[in-house]
Amino acid sequence: MSIEIRRGQAPEPHSREVFRERFMQAFFDPAFAPEQAAIDRLEAIAWQAYTEGRKAPRTEKAGPGFADPDYDLSIEWAETHRRLKAAQARWHEPGGPSRVLLVAGGSRNDGTCPGEMSKTYRLTRLARLAFEAEGIETDLLDLSWLTSDYGRHIHPCKGCVSTAMPLCHWPCSCYPNHALSQTGDWMNEIYERWVQAHGVLLLTPVYWYQAASPLKLMIDRLVCADGGNPDPTSTGGKKADRAKAIELAGWSYPKHLAGRAYGVVVHGDVAGIEGVRRALSDWLEWMGLIDAGALSRLDRFIGYYEPYATSHDTLDRDTAVQEEVRNAARSVAQAVKAIRFGHHAEPGSGLVRPRPK
C-alpha cells in the first residue's frame, strides 16, 4: 500500500521585512530604545534560526533503549522523558504517599485584568483541605497562571495524531520550537505532575458553553498520553511517512495515564455545565482513568442568572455546593486508596477494545 502525504496548506515563509516586524513587537516599549543595536543583532540571529529551521538547536544522542540510538534528540525533550520515567516510578512505589493533582481550570485571578480571584480557585482550596484531611498529598495546578505569569505558555496542539498516532510523541516533541519562538512551554512540567498523581480532580467554570481556554489547551496537549509514541527516533522525528507506516503495521496505543482515579467539578451561572461535565468525564475515561463514583462528578450553578458582581457572595451563602465539592474530593480520595491497595476492580478492566483510537 502506497502512503500519500497531502501537502499545500501551509503559508509561505515570511519575508525578512515581515519577520523583523514580528520580532520587534516584543520591544515596543521605549525603554528598549537605547539597546536597539543589540536588538538588531539578536534579530539577525533569530532570522537565521528561522530560515534554517533550527527547532532543536541543542541535542544529545538518544542512546540505548531507542530504535535509533544515534538519533539526535532535543536535550529538552530528553530531560522531560527522563523526568516522566522517574515520575512513573514514584507512582508505582507501593509504600509512597498517595498523591492527587488538583487542577483549577479557570482563567481569572487577582493578579491580572479581572482583579479578583476565581470561584474555581476557592472551590479548589476547599477540595484541597478535604484531601489533606484524608491523608492525601495534593499538588495544586492553577492554570490561571497562563494569564498572569510572565513568559508562561501552553502552546496549542498541532494535531500530529490526525496524521498518524506514532507521530504524536510522549511527551510531546512539537515544543519547544526555537526556530518559531515557540518556547516557554509549561506542558513539560505538567506532564510530570499528571504522571506522578494517583488521582486527579478537575475543577472548571463554564465560559461560553465550554471549559475555560487554559484547561482546553492542557486537554489537547494531553492527547499524547493516550496512545502517544515514547520513541521519537522510530519516526525519525516528525517524518509523516514513517509514522503512517508504523501505524498501518499495527500500533499498540499505550495509555500512559491509565489507572488513576478522577473526579470533575463544573460550575456555571446560566448554561453548559452538564455538557462540560460529561465531556470531561468521557475524556478522562477514554484515557483510562477510573471514575471515583457518582459524588465525584459534580455540575452546579452558582448564582443562576444573578449578577456577576455578587457571585462570590452567592458562593459564600451556598454551603451545600461547598460540601458537595468536599464530597467530590473525599470520593476521589477513597478511590485512590482502594485502587492503590487492590480493593477496587474496575468493571471491564480486563477487556480489550476492538477499536482503539
Side-chain angles (χ1 to χ4, degrees), residues 131 261-262 292-297 326-336:
F131 278 120
Y262 85 84
L295 295 183
S296 71
R297 301 186 309 278
R326 294 187 189 98
N327 279 340
R330 291 166 185 144
S331 294
V332 174
Q334 291 171 13
V336 164

Side-chain angles (χ1 to χ4, degrees), residues 136-157:
I136 304 287
E137 286 190 3
T138 57
D139 177 13
L140 174 54
L141 174 58
D142 185 352
L143 294 178
S144 75
W145 287 17
L146 285 177
T147 68
S148 64
D149 194 25
Y150 179 82
R152 189 177 295 274
H153 306 283
I154 294 179
H155 295 291
C157 175

Side-chain angles (χ1 to χ4, degrees), residues 152-226:
R152 189 177 295 274
H153 306 283
I154 294 179
H155 295 291
C157 175
K158 296 182 177 180
C160 295
V161 171
S162 295
T163 292
M165 188 74 243
L167 198 62
C168 181
H169 300 143
W170 170 254
C172 176
S173 66
C174 293
Y175 304 102
N177 186 323
H178 292 274
L180 297 179
S181 192
Q182 295 170 340
T183 58
D185 186 45
W186 198 9
M187 286 304 299
N188 286 338
E189 174 190 326
I190 290 174
Y191 290 133
E192 181 181 9
R193 294 167 74 172
W194 273 79
V195 170
Q196 70 180 1
H198 299 101
V200 178
L201 180 62
L202 298 182
L203 301 97
T204 184
V206 171
Y207 292 167
W208 284 114
Y209 291 83
Q210 274 296 340
S213 51
L215 179 58
K216 187 59 168 66
L217 282 168
M218 183 190 71
I219 288 171
D220 286 352
R221 291 291 304 286
L222 279 164
V223 66
C224 57
D226 191 68

Side-chain angles (χ1 to χ4, degrees), residues 285 288-291 344-350:
E285 289 179 10
L289 277 78
I290 300 169
D291 165 17
H344 179 90
E346 184 186 10
S349 59

Side-chain angles (χ1 to χ4, degrees), residues 41-53:
R41 291 193 295 273
L42 292 175
E43 187 270 342
I45 296 170
W47 168 252
Q48 185 180 35
Y50 172 72
T51 56
E52 294 177 2

